[in-house]
Amino acid sequence: QQFLAPVARFGGGVLSARVRVEERMRTDSNAVQFRLRPQIAFTHPLGHHGARWSISHESMVSTKAEWNHQRGLFRIRNQASLSLPLTRGVDMDLGYLNQVTFGRDGARDAMAHVGMAGVSMRF
């Protein structure tokens, strides 16, 4: 389940907020893990042809389950992306994702740097 809403408009762009709630289950357990994933994003158009850039921050907070020891604030994601229209209803997206997963029980934090590319279609 998720809720997405614009928060403010400024500088020609839109600041928006999203709250996502997930339930995670496994077939070998009755335990359910709940995740809360709030995100804040700013999107700004580039010209009048549909191109836009955006930045966002997402935090992930979860309950503990017997099969997964992620609990509390366990991961953050920061993302920067550029969306370019290719044709009507088709966009190419390029971006960078920085993800930090916090170590538990003495383990070190892990950081991932991810380049992203994709094509999206609207129907």
Side-chain angles (χ1 to χ4, degrees):
Q1 304 83 20
Q2 71 178 17
F3 175 76
L4 174 66
V7 174
R9 295 182 182 276
F10 63 91
V14 177
L15 181 68
S16 60
R18 182 201 75 203
V19 177
R20 180 179 289 169
V21 177
E22 300 173 344
E23 302 88 20
R24 301 181 72 219
M25 298 163 259
R26 287 181 38 166
T27 57
D28 61 348
S29 172
N30 289 330
V32 177
Q33 181 184 44
F34 293 93
R35 281 188 177 175
L36 179 66
R37 295 177 55 179
Q39 181 188 65
I40 188 91
F42 182 74
T43 302
H44 193 282
L46 294 171
H48 300 287
H49 301 288
R52 61 194 179 280
W53 63 268
S54 65
I55 56 174
S56 66
H57 171 81
E58 179 181 28
S59 298
M60 295 185 187
V61 180
S62 72
T63 61
K64 184 178 175 183
E66 64 191 37
W67 46 267
N68 191 329
H69 296 286
Q70 295 170 331
R71 64 197 178 281
L73 177 63
F74 70 95
R75 181 176 295 143
I76 60 171
R77 290 181 176 157
N78 299 299
Q79 183 175 327
S81 63
L82 177 65
S83 182
L84 303 168
L86 297 177
T87 64
R88 183 181 171 118
V90 179
D91 293 340
M92 177 176 65
D93 300 304
L94 302 169
Y96 166 74
L97 171 75
N98 173 261
Q99 175 175 284
V100 177
T101 301
F102 300 110
R104 295 288 186 216
D105 303 320
R108 294 180 60 169
D109 295 348
M111 183 179 292
H113 302 279
V114 182
M116 302 178 305
V119 175
S120 58
M121 299 173 57
R122 291 180 302 283
F123 299 96

